[in-house]
């Protein structure tokens, strides 16, 4: 006879097995494509990776599956767009062994620790910046050519470049500048532009500056070549949370001034990806019409080997929030036509409640666990381990695409 405790354990195991970890969302154009073709590796033209600090850790198993097994089955060029930890993830995807790189990123991010001196409640930004910069230097030491000369991937690292009071980091003036930025952003997202502009550092296959995989009409934007001379500074800037790390100043070959976390201007990369694809589709349709007229024969423009130019976005939630200052502005969290060609992967909120502390890892855990490094590492490692279910479910869905399991973004 099975005792009550064993029965309860069996029931819990069954419930855990039945609970679905992954939710898939798609914009309307992406949804139409999925209904006709499913999702194939050659359909992806862009990968997006959000800011979000420790939350990004849960995407490690998905990253390893996508870049280690699935995407290598195709050969098209792919744009990798990232801000903050997302930029670190996408730069790691460009290394020769991306699976090992993601494992190292996960291990080192979870193990980061900043000792407090007597009387300190949190480490000063100068110490965090110095240690973080040293870690990045060691991570990519001697391997920049792998990243910058990848034969398939164009890397785009997003940063926030200060203007006006934020053009240099200067204690009280910087705080005042961010107050101005916050108030301006309440009026309209573009009103943030006089305080902070988007600067994208880009590298890619071939020579010259690669095109951006989004139309940058939504916000003041500059694009700069990502090179060995500025890679370290650009990536550190993209990860430099205001007041937690110091700004990075005067990056080589880029506009002078202070650079902060790319998530300040582009928290979840709510960019106009569809605008680029719409322009490409329009030119393709015009070209096809000319050929069809000349041949006096109309064919289906969507051939069986059609590639869709979709944006694949492993994310830690459904909402794609435009900027960090929009986090609490719920009216800016909805989808827009910018995301019409996006397929977004996110954890089921009910499943997230089964993780340690009933939530995703976040920066608040540094304060919650304090000096107890082992306890925080155990919680984060347990969360990441559970997230293998996300990758397993995505792989299973790819084998048998079921549109009934995809929700409209």
């Amino acid at each position: 006879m099975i005792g009550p405790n064993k029965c309860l354990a069996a029931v819990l195991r069954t419930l855990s097995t039945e609970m679905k970890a992954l939710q898939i969302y798609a914009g309307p154009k992406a949804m139409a494509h999925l209904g006709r073709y499913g999702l194939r590796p050659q359909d992806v033209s862009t990968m997006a990776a959000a800011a979000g600090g420790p939350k990004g850790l849960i995407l490690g198993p998905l990253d390893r599956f996508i870049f280690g097994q699935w995407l290598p089955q195709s050969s098209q060029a792919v744009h990798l767009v990232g801000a903050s930890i997302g930029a670190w993830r996408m730069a790691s995807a460009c290394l020769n062994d991306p699976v090992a790189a993601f494992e190292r990123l996960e291990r080192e991010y979870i193990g980061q620790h900043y000792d407090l001196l007597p009387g300190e409640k949190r480490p000063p930004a100068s110490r965090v910046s110095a240690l973080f910069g040293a870690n990045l230097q060691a991570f990519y030491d001697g391997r920049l050519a792998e990243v910058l000369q990848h034969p398939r991937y164009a890397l785009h690292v997003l940063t926030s470049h200060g203007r006006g009071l934020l053009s240099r980091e200067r204690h009280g003036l910087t705080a005042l500048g961010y107050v101005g930025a916050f108030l301006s952003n309440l009026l309209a997202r573009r009103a943030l532009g006089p305080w902070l502009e988007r600067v994208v550092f880009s590298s890619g296959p071939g020579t010259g500056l690669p095109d951006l995989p989004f139309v940058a009409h939504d916000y003041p934007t500059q694009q700069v070549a990502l090179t060995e001379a500025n890679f370290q500074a650009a990536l550190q800037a993209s990860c430099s949370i205001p007041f937690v790390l110091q700004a990075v100043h005067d990056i080589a070959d880029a506009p002078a001034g202070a650079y902060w976390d790319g998530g300040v201007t582009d928290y979840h990369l709510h960019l106009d990806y569809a605008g680029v694809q719409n322009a490409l589709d329009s030119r393709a349709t015009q070209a096809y019409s000319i050929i069809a007229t000349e041949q006096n024969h109309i064919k289906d423009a969507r051939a069986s080997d059609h590639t869709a130019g979709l944006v694949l976005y492993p994310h830690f939630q459904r909402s794609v929030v435009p900027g960090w200052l929009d986090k609490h502005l719920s009216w800016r969290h909805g989808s827009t036509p910018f995301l019409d060609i996006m397929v977004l992967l996110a954890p089921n909120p009910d499943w997230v409640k089964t993780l340690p502390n009933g939530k995703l890892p976040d920066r608040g855990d540094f304060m919650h666990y304090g000096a107890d490094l082992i306890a925080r590492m155990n919680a984060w490692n347990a969360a990441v381990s559970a997230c293998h279910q996300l990758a397993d479910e995505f792989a299973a869905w790819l084998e048998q695409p079921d549109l009934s399991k995809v929700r409209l973004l």
Side-chain angles (χ1 to χ4, degrees):
M1 182 175 180
I2 300 176
N5 289 340
K6 290 186 177 180
C7 287
L8 177 59
V11 170
L12 290 176
R13 282 196 300 271
T14 301
L15 289 175
S16 177
T17 300
E18 291 178 350
M19 178 172 287
K20 298 300 182 183
L22 181 69
Q23 293 184 335
I24 303 175
Y25 300 91
K29 292 184 178 180
M31 184 76 80
H33 175 87
L34 296 181
R36 185 168 185 178
Y37 300 104
L39 181 62
R40 306 162 301 179
Q42 66 264 32
D43 293 333
V44 176
S45 65
T46 302
M47 293 284 303
K55 294 185 183 72
L57 291 171
I58 72 153
L59 304 173
L62 277 168
D63 286 339
R64 292 193 286 275
F65 169 71
I66 291 169
F67 287 100
Q69 299 180 45
W70 186 66
L71 204 52
Q73 298 174 36
S74 60
S75 59
Q76 80 283 8
V78 181
H79 293 275
L80 310 184
V81 186
S84 199
I85 191 174
W88 190 0
R89 287 169 50 216
M90 293 300 95
S92 300
C94 296
L95 292 172
N96 288 344
D97 186 348
V99 172
F102 286 129
E103 290 172 345
R104 181 180 176 185
L105 187 159
E106 180 181 294
R107 184 171 61 252
E108 295 188 4
Y109 196 103
I110 291 174
Q112 66 181 305
H113 181 64
Y114 303 94
D115 291 321
L116 296 178
L117 300 179
E120 289 182 339
K121 292 184 177 180
R122 62 181 63 192
S126 57
R127 191 187 311 151
V128 177
S129 287
L131 289 173
F132 181 69
N135 290 338
L136 281 183
Q137 183 69 45
F139 195 94
Y140 294 102
D141 185 37
R143 305 187 68 183
L144 292 187
E146 296 176 34
V147 178
L148 301 176
Q149 298 172 24
H150 196 282
R152 289 186 63 191
Y153 300 153
L155 176 64
H156 305 275
V157 174
L158 272 64
T159 66
S160 302
H161 177 231
R163 306 168 93 177
L165 283 180
L166 296 177
S167 61
R168 313 294 297 183
E169 187 171 33
R170 294 169 291 190
H171 301 293
L173 289 180
T174 296
L176 184 61
Y178 271 102
V179 170
F182 173 80
L183 294 175
S184 298
N185 186 67
L186 287 176
L187 297 176
R189 177 160 159 75
R190 284 196 67 89
L192 181 62
W195 303 94
L196 292 158
E197 68 176 341
R198 173 195 295 143
V199 174
V200 186
F201 291 82
S202 302
S203 69
T207 59
L209 200 61
D211 292 336
L212 291 173
F214 56 88
V215 178
H217 55 59
D218 64 315
Y219 193 82
T221 302
Q222 293 196 56
Q223 187 184 20
V224 175
L226 183 64
T227 67
E228 291 198 13
N230 60 27
F231 175 88
Q232 172 78 15
L235 187 56
Q236 178 158 350
S238 187
C239 298
S240 293
I241 304 166
F243 309 111
V244 177
L245 287 86
Q246 292 178 317
V248 177
H249 287 84
D250 302 330
I251 298 176
D253 304 320
Y259 289 78
W260 279 279
D261 196 304
V264 180
T265 52
D266 294 286
Y267 191 41
H268 292 166
L269 310 179
H270 196 125
L271 306 167
D272 188 4
Y273 309 100
V276 171
Q277 193 61 41
N278 290 341
L280 291 174
D281 287 347
S282 177
R283 288 199 291 269
T285 299
Q286 292 174 6
Y288 178 80
S289 297
I290 293 172
I291 294 172
T293 300
E294 290 175 349
Q295 296 178 346
N296 195 27
H297 180 61
I298 304 298
K299 295 181 179 180
D300 182 7
R302 299 288 185 180
S304 60
D305 62 348
H306 167 73
T307 56
L310 298 179
V311 178
L312 181 60
Y313 190 7
H315 195 20
F316 43 79
Q317 63 183 47
R318 176 180 184 174
S319 299
V320 184
V321 180
W324 186 65
L325 297 176
D326 299 317
K327 285 197 298 183
H328 303 295
L329 308 182
S330 58
W331 59 90
R332 295 186 187 171
H333 293 188
S335 185
T336 70
F338 284 11
L339 312 182
D340 281 357
I341 59 171
M342 177 175 284
V343 177
L344 184 146
L345 313 176
N348 182 338
D350 290 331
W351 177 82
V352 168
K353 294 175 184 177
T354 69
L355 299 178
N357 302 312
K359 65 177 184 62
L360 302 177
D362 60 40
R363 286 198 302 115
D365 291 336
F366 286 109
M367 296 296 292
H368 175 74
Y369 289 101
D372 195 348
L373 171 64
I374 299 302
R376 177 178 60 77
M377 289 180 64
N378 287 341
W380 285 11
N381 278 316
V384 171
S385 180
C387 291
H388 284 86
Q389 189 174 347
L390 297 172
D392 292 342
E393 291 184 7
F394 181 50
W397 184 87
L398 290 170
E399 289 293 325
Q400 294 185 317
D402 182 352
L403 203 62
S404 70
K405 295 181 180 178
V406 182
R407 307 180 184 196
L408 191 63
L409 184 61

